[in-house]
Amino acid sequence: LPSPKDMQCPFCKEPQSFLLQIYSPLDQDHTPQAFHRMLYLFCCREASCAAKGSFSAWRCQLPRSNPFLAAKSSEDAVFNLASAAPLCAVCGQRGPTMCSACSAEHYCSRSHQRLAWKAGHKRTCSKAKNASSEIGHATRFSCVFPEFDIVVEDGEESAEELTDEERERKE
């Protein structure tokens, strides 16, 4: 994982937000060490920074058999979190800093620690001693984009399945 400093906006120095992940498995016969191929795109949530080009792209590739992802591309990717680095409770990036009171939450930056505190970690902190807090990724933070899936499948659509508007766009 990139360091929090690598994930900072070069203009405002705030952590960039995860925008997009593209997962594209490759046939093992082509490149055995690159079966699981992922591309991650991050950007600054501040419009003025994004307009200046505050985007980061990160690539990852792993062999079919590895300690982090499922061996079959048809299976949902399942991470082995026991072997992973601590992650920020707000954005999921590497979180080297932890809450000094309970040691249960990790953060990538001071601003994300403040955001989690205001979102409710303040209420659960003293109860969370050496346990996972209730905040985590379930809380929708302002620095996290809403999640959507885009699925691209092989094959041609038949003309009957297209609406009139879609047929006109194709022509």
Side-chain angles (χ1 to χ4, degrees):
L1 293 172
S3 73
K5 186 172 171 71
D6 292 334
M7 301 303 297
Q8 280 183 349
C9 170
F11 306 106
C12 69
K13 303 300 183 206
E14 288 296 315
Q16 291 181 324
S17 294
F18 173 73
L19 177 63
L20 173 73
Q21 174 188 353
I22 298 172
Y23 174 71
S24 178
L26 187 63
D27 184 355
Q28 181 127 1
D29 295 336
H30 288 96
T31 311
Q33 293 304 312
F35 176 79
H36 296 285
R37 299 179 311 151
M38 285 101 24
L39 182 66
Y40 300 93
L41 184 62
F42 292 82
C43 69
C44 184
R45 291 292 302 229
E46 293 296 322
S48 60
C49 297
K52 295 177 192 173
S54 179
F55 290 88
S56 299
W58 298 88
R59 178 181 60 95
C60 176
Q61 62 186 38
L62 296 168
R64 181 184 290 264
S65 295
N66 66 76
F68 303 105
L69 296 172
K72 294 181 182 174
S73 64
S74 61
E75 296 176 21
D76 287 337
V78 178
F79 286 96
N80 176 3
L81 295 179
S83 63
L87 302 178
C88 177
V90 175
C91 67
Q93 296 179 29
R94 184 184 289 177
T97 306
M98 69 174 75
C99 175
S100 60
C102 70
S103 302
E105 294 286 1
H106 288 82
Y107 304 102
C108 66
S109 67
R110 188 90 175 120
S111 63
H112 281 190
Q113 187 173 9
R114 283 191 303 269
L115 189 61
W117 189 256
K118 290 176 185 174
H121 185 63
K122 175 177 19 180
R123 291 186 308 274
T124 62
C125 182
S126 60
K127 300 177 212 167
K129 202 74 167 167
N130 297 321
S132 225
S133 146
E134 298 165 14
I135 299 301
H137 297 287
T139 301
R140 176 58 58 191
F141 292 99
S142 61
C143 63
V144 178
F145 289 103
E147 293 181 26
F148 298 97
D149 286 343
I150 300 172
V151 178
V152 179
E153 296 181 10
D154 294 336
E156 286 289 320
E157 295 177 6
S158 68
E160 298 128 20
E161 294 177 30
L162 300 176
T163 65
D164 291 337
E165 186 180 314
E166 289 171 328
R167 258 187 246 111
E168 287 175 18
R169 274 188 268 149
K170 277 195 147 191
E171 295 170 0

